[in-house]
Amino acid sequence: MLRSCVCLRSESTKRRSSSVEDASSCRSSEIERVGASMQTTTLGPNGQPQPVAAQTTTRASSLLQLFQRKGWCKHFRKPLRGMSASRAEKTIRAAIFIQKWYRQHQARREMQKRCNWQIFQNLEYASEQDQAELYKFFNDLIKNMPQAAATGNKYHQNSRISILEEDGELVEEAGDIVSTRIELPITKNDIDRLIDVFRKKKGNRLHPKYVAMILREGARCLKQMPNIVMVSTAVSQQVTVCGDLHGKLDDLLVVLYKNGLPSTSNPYVFNGDFVDRGKKGLEVLLLLLSLYLAFPNSVFLNRGNHEDSVMNARYGFSREVESKYPRNYKQLLLLIDEVYRWLPLGSVLNSRVLIVHGGFSDSTSLDLIKSIDRGKYVSILRPPVTDGEPLDKTEWQQIFDIMWSDPQSMQGCKPNTLRGAGVWFGPDVTETFLKRHRLNYVIRSHECKPNGHEFMHDNKVITIFSASNYYAMGSNKGAYMRLNNQLMPHFVQYISAASQTKRLSFRQRMGIVESSALKELAVRMRDHRDELELEFQKCDPDGSGHITISKWCCVMESVTKLGLPWRLLRDKLAPGTDSQSVNYVTTLDLLDTDVIMEAEADGTTVMDALYANKSSLVTIFNIIDADNSGEITLDEFETAIDLLVAHMPGVYSKEEMLEKCRMMDLNGDGKVDLNEFLEAFRLSDLHRKQQQEEDMRRRSTHRTIQNPSDSVTKLANAISKNTAVVEQDIDPTDCEADAVDPK
Amino acid sequence: MDLDSVNNDLEKRISDAFCVFDHHGDKFIDVREVGTVLRLLGCVPTEQEVNEVISATEQLGETSGEVHLTKFLPHVSQLLMERKMEPATPEKIIKAFKILDPENKGYLTKEHFGKLMMEEGEPFTQEEMDEMWPVAIDPITGHIPYEFYLNQLMVYL
């Protein structure tokens, strides 16, 4: 008997094809594997080998041996009716032709999907890394100036206590403010009215005094909660858990619409990351706090790593508050900080299931976490507000680990170099942790998943992510989970604003995700534009404008360090280029197109964030100023600069900073006070802005001399068209939701 | 063969595509990924051709089920240089579809096409079939207008 796949079909229920396993969905564990390997292949010799390994089985190889055949199989299982033998053979050949073409297409499409996903993820984590650098800088600063550890920022402590008590000085805002009035205690009626206001595209701003009221009252009540909140399903018989929302009010409304408002019989746990990235972070935060105030025993809020002013300065929430309440944002941001510092750090369901935002490490101790005075940690990325007490770094580490960690498939526990904070924890760490704390499993969030949820570590770690269309429209589904009294999980996945994707063709949908990925990547590349140009030119001594593909990939990685599969991205990032070499000028031209420059102006860079986050600068000053004299010596300042430069190379120039400092020491006594210190940074900022303007001017004149090629213009137009956002009133019924079959 | 001095661009291309699936960094990939790597390189192999590459390059003994770059590289370099498994032009693909549509209706019925794809040649799995339908089927007629379908896919990639 000829060994052929056709003959064996009767024996095997499912024929395995050689195309990508599970090509039907962007299965995230697949992506994680591919993603990790993409990291591995491009990390330099001194880069740490990165975790997630494929879980290979030998099942496939034995099946494969069955399918291997020598020679062409001419056995027809069912003779094609009414056809001559030659006709039938022609048909079969045509069928094979189509099949092999389709499989190739599928494989490439799958790779494309993974590529886009990889771009989004790496960009997100690389940015987070920058923020984590700030934390490490502070850590180093404290380490190198031990007397500073004892002082902390008393300055902050005092101003914080007052904000909860006083009514604050709020002023009227310009523009349309709704007339809606909210009074305490908040009722279900208020919730309905709030939803009706918040979901509108326009006319959706509450009077700032009500915003302040909700924030203040929210913080005051949250302060009463323990660090780890005990949740029980004794009365409700069930509970719903939601993950990251990231300012996606439409997703929150979809969940409330499909799953009902909270009540004694319908409790909710929201697992952090309510703000940043999405455009309605303030509304999400206010609605969640209002739900909590209206149904205090049915709503549980956990802190996420984005409930942090340092993150907000970088990821858009601070900007959002400023743009919505330009006259009151400072006051409101201070109140938001209060909410953050009093948010509980996690929950435990029925004493069996832990719910935390990130995960845990091999040193995580819930007892220790329960004993922490969490109010000290206004921002997790800045040193805690101590009261003359020495800083407890173990404690700080504990909080970091539960907020920032990610699960990995490999065994062991190692620092999470991708995020720059927290750890990667393996299945063995999970097992030990669960045993030690007598838990069944852990629910966490923190990572975007294509289907809004994922099981890992033998179903002991469940990721739940509730922001659909997170990276781009159509990029992923969101999900929420319902647990019954036995804590068996059921998932509902959904996409909000479904009508926007439904009416699009397949091609258009893929185009949107891809364009979004390219746009974000190009914006990020702009940070390194000059360096890229320099490196490209180095490889092209003749000035031909062309370099080999390998060289192009090399330069891209060495400059951006993003760990992306550059070879696969080549024809997108160097459009119009042929298959032998790369016209790198097109890459640079792409970065200079309007659509990319506008997108850059829209976002915030690390520098912007640092400057915007003046409190960080004040903290730095206070730490250096160990004796609280209000002045620091040039030597002390120099130490701080050294550390800052070490952590953020390319962001600060040491000579520049020192020069500014010396210039600021107006009375020449070798000391700098706080104002002079801030001036030094502000001057640097001015200087930087001047430099940026100079760069832009230089580039725009250069551009008019050499017009961008047609292919660059075409690509830029496509990106512009595909990423145009049409804002509408939110309609929670406009969703596509389906329950996932329980495992 | 010195893996560190892979200079030739073709070999670099193959090596890059291969390494995308090298999860441990040890230059081994799972045999199941061989097809994908070939397709990534622009080849359009039949299942049989993929299996042939696997049998020519698969490790024996303990590490069976895996393929090492040292075997993969020369074998596939050769194949690519001989222009084996080359992609077809859109015209050829349309021609193949037309053979399945002898009455020249310009479309195929779901039933006919589905049966063909899942029973003849190198049959699709149910998964692959399910993946194909949403894009291939015209929601109004319920048929597969193959030329239009082809256009959608071709232009995108």
Side-chain angles (χ1 to χ4, degrees), chain A residues 306-325:
Chain A
H306 278 261
E307 272 70 62
D308 192 317
S309 55
V310 174
M311 295 294 275
N312 296 162
R314 174 79 178 86
Y315 280 93
F317 184 50
S318 303
R319 250 186 180 217
E320 181 194 329
V321 177
E322 185 178 349
S323 71
K324 287 179 179 169
Y325 293 95

Side-chain angles (χ1 to χ4, degrees), chain A residues 611 614 617 657 660 664 675-689:
Chain A
Y611 295 138
K614 185 167 135 192
L617 297 179
M657 304 285 318
K660 300 303 169 204
M664 281 299 97
N675 286 324
E676 290 168 340
F677 180 83
L678 292 174
E679 258 305 301
F681 280 81
R682 207 144 41 94
L683 265 186
S684 290
D685 186 16
L686 265 178
H687 172 83
R688 204 174 73 89
K689 273 212 170 81

Side-chain angles (χ1 to χ4, degrees), chain B residues 117-134:
Chain B
M117 288 295 106
M118 288 193 60
E119 291 181 7
E120 303 305 335
E122 295 182 327
F124 278 164
T125 60
Q126 186 61 53
E127 255 173 13
E128 287 175 300
M129 208 67 248
D130 290 342
E131 255 281 285
M132 200 186 204
W133 289 142

Side-chain angles (χ1 to χ4, degrees), chain A residues 1-11 66 68-70 73 75:
Chain A
M1 178 176 96
L2 269 176
R3 277 168 166 239
S4 71
C5 53
V6 171
C7 304
L8 285 164
R9 271 203 81 224
S10 49
E11 289 166 48
L66 287 177
Q68 275 170 5
R69 56 191 194 276
K70 306 209 189 278
C73 171
H75 175 91

